[in-house]
Structure formats: C-alpha cells, structure tokens
C-alpha cells in the first residue's frame, strides 16, 4: 500500500515529538462547548417536526372540505311550522271579580265623590257653592290659579281625568277637600301634582309642617301669618297634601283664629284612610 506524503507545512506536535498515532490523524481533544467563551449554538430542529405540522394542517383542511361536501349532499332540514294548534278554551264560569277591599282600582274607578269625607253633623254649606253636585270641573280648578289660562294648561299637561270636592263651614271655620284623579299612562302624575303643592305651601312665611302618617311623603302645614284684607276678618290657614295611586288629595282649612295642628292632621289622616 502506498502511503501519501505528508505536506511539509503540516503542523507537528509541540516539543518536536512525532505522533505515535496513524499518519494524518488529528489527535487534538475536542473543545468543550463554551470553553472558548462563546455561547453554544441552539440545537437545529430536524425536518420531522415540520413534516408532522404540515400533515396535520393538510388533515384539517381535508376534513373541513369533506364535511362541506357531506352537508351539501344532504336534504335540507324542514323547519317547524310557525302556526300552533288552537288551544281548547276552558269551560265553566270564570272567577268572580275582586271586591273593592281586594282591588283598590275597583274603588277608585267608581264614584269618586263617595271617597270624600262625610260632612260632620252641624256643618253647613258654603255661602257660595263650588263644583257641580260634588264634581269639580277642569275649568273650575283652573279659576283657582292666579293665572287661569296657565292653570288650565298645567292640569292638561298632568293628564287630568276628573275631580271631586266637598266643602262645609262651622261658624267661621271652613273646610275644602279635593280629590283630583289623573290618567297615568306615562308618568305618576298624582305624585308630581302633589309635589307642586308641597313647594307652594312651603313658600308661605311662618309655617310649621309635619308628615302625614301612612302617606309616604304627605305633608300638613299650619300658617301662622294671617291673610288680611280691608273690611274682612283676618284669615288663618292650614293645608295638607298627599297622594295615593292616581289620586292627589288637597285639604284647606280657613279660620279667623290660628288653626291647631291636630285639626288639619285629623282630617288628612281620615281622608287618606278612605283612599
């Protein structure tokens, strides 16, 4: 066998000693990773992973296509009919309507005048009657405003339905009670109407006020400063306002002497109990 010549410029081991191994064999020990200070290179990913990923993607696409083809060959599913079978009507008499004690609307949709407090014994009519047989018209209520035209529009805006009124006098002591009922299709008009009464009652100077029990936000007022006019006795006033459902209650007491708290409170509580 011929042995190839070793190039003259081939490096020899240090110290001039000849290698005892085979000619041309590299006897230098492999350098450990990182021994030279360089970070080891990351391991290269083989082709197997890429092949598996590609096969999986092709499988998903193939499965989707197959599903579309199978669904396209099927007959469309019939939807249920929109019309429903006619239900048989129950036979026999229906339930009895609720009484006024069980359904408040039965009471308030009846004769509103019957919900007013009864005139006490010994009381008389006012010298000038208001209302028409206990009913208080929209025009008559508007006339009680300082500006009747504005009052008329205010009542219409509140969806006025009807009103009932009761009045009586005992000596110089006079009472007026109004029950004003509203349509309440879009808002609680009775509450808004009463809130307006609260506002004006509180504008009077020298006034005491109390909550009316059982009414939520009902209020009673006693005005200590009298209204005076030449040729007439001074007039002291007390008033109460509250609401329940679609009915607003208004009470006024006028006397030639200060009205005690218990008088206006008694009327307000007894009237609200009837609602």
């Amino acid at each position: 066998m011929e042995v190839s010549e070793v190039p003259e410029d081939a490096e020899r081991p240090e110290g001039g000693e000849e290698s005892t191994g085979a000619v041309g064999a590299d006897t230098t020990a492999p350098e450990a990773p990182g021994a030279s200070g360089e970070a080891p290179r990351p391991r290269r990913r083989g082709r197997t992973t890429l092949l598996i990923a590609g096969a999986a993607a092709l499988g998903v696409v193939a499965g989707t296509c197959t599903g579309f083809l199978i669904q396209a060959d099927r007959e469309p599913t019939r939807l249920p009919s929109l019309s429903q079978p006619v239900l048989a009507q129950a036979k026999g008499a229906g339930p009895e309507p609720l009484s006024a004690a069980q359904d408040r609307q039965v009471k308030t949709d009846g004769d509103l005048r019957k919900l007013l407090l009864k005139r006490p014994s010994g009381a008389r009519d006012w010298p000038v009657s208001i209302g028409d047989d206990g009913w208080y018209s929209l025009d008559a209520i508007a006339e009680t405003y300082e500006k009747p035209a504005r009052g008329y529009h205010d009542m219409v805006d509140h969806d006025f339905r009807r009103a009932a009124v009761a009045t009586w006098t005992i000596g110089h002591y006079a009472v007026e009670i109004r029950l004003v009922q509203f349509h309440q299709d879009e808002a609680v008009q009775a509450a808004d109407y009463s809130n307006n009464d609260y506002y004006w009652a509180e504008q009077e100077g020298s006034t005491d006020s109390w909550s009316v029990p059982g009414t939520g936000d009902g209020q009673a007022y006693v005005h200590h400063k009298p209204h005076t006019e030449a040729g007439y006795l001074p007039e002291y006033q007390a008033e109460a306002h509250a609401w329940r459902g679609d009915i607003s209650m208004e009470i006024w007491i006028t006397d030639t002497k200060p009205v005690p708290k218990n008088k206006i409170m008694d009327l307000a509580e007894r009237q609200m109990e009837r609602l």
Side-chain angles (χ1 to χ4, degrees):
M1 295 179 60
E2 295 182 357
V3 180
S4 59
E5 296 181 356
V6 179
E8 296 180 355
D9 57 351
E11 295 182 359
R12 294 180 180 274
E14 294 182 7
E17 297 181 357
E18 295 182 357
S19 174
T20 58
V23 177
D26 187 2
T27 58
T28 307
E31 188 174 348
S36 61
E38 297 181 0
R41 294 180 180 179
R43 182 179 179 182
R44 296 179 61 187
R45 187 174 60 179
R47 295 181 180 180
T48 304
T49 304
L50 297 177
L51 291 174
I52 294 175
L58 290 175
V60 172
V61 173
T64 303
C65 294
T66 303
F68 275 114
L69 292 174
I70 293 175
Q71 186 65 29
D73 291 337
R74 290 179 177 175
E75 291 293 331
T77 303
R78 294 181 59 84
L79 296 175
S81 176
L82 295 178
S83 61
Q84 299 297 324
V86 179
L87 299 177
Q89 186 174 2
K91 297 180 180 181
E96 292 293 331
L98 297 176
S99 64
Q102 297 171 308
D103 186 355
R104 180 182 171 278
Q105 189 172 359
V106 174
K107 178 169 57 177
T108 58
D109 281 348
D111 191 338
L112 194 61
R113 298 171 300 177
K114 294 182 179 181
L115 299 181
L116 290 163
L117 279 177
K118 302 301 181 182
R119 179 186 300 182
S121 60
R124 304 189 313 261
D125 290 333
W126 279 14
V128 178
S129 62
I130 63 173
D132 182 11
D133 192 25
W135 293 108
Y136 211 17
S137 68
L138 177 58
D139 292 337
I141 295 177
E143 289 296 328
T144 64
Y145 283 72
E146 293 182 358
K147 297 181 179 180
R150 183 176 180 180
Y152 185 91
H153 288 293
D154 180 67
M155 298 299 295
V156 171
D157 289 342
H158 279 86
D159 295 331
F160 172 83
R161 178 181 175 186
R162 59 181 180 166
V165 61
T167 59
W168 66 79
T169 64
I170 301 177
H172 294 287
Y173 164 68
V175 174
E176 178 183 356
I177 303 176
R178 298 182 198 170
L179 298 180
V180 187
Q181 192 171 29
F182 301 89
H183 296 287
Q184 301 200 132
D185 298 329
E186 298 181 358
V188 186
Q189 301 290 4
D192 187 59
Y193 185 79
S194 293
N195 288 335
N196 189 60
D197 288 333
Y198 302 155
Y199 172 78
W200 288 111
E202 292 168 359
Q203 302 310 303
E204 297 283 345
S206 186
T207 299
D208 290 332
S209 63
W210 304 269
S211 297
V212 179
T215 62
D217 58 356
Q219 293 288 315
Y221 303 87
V222 170
H223 307 299
H224 300 291
K225 183 178 180 180
H227 293 274
T228 57
E229 187 175 348
Y232 294 90
L233 294 173
E235 290 185 349
Y236 292 89
Q237 287 190 341
E239 57 187 298
H241 304 279
W243 65 278
R244 180 164 292 153
D246 57 354
I247 296 177
S248 174
M249 178 206 73
E250 303 172 298
I251 299 178
W252 283 274
I253 298 177
T254 304
D255 204 343
T256 56
K257 56 185 179 181
V259 180
K261 168 189 173 182
N262 63 338
K263 185 173 289 188
I264 185 65
M265 290 289 286
D266 175 64
L267 285 178
E269 289 183 49
R270 290 195 291 119
Q271 178 59 75
M272 290 303 296
E273 287 174 357
R274 298 179 65 86
L275 300 180

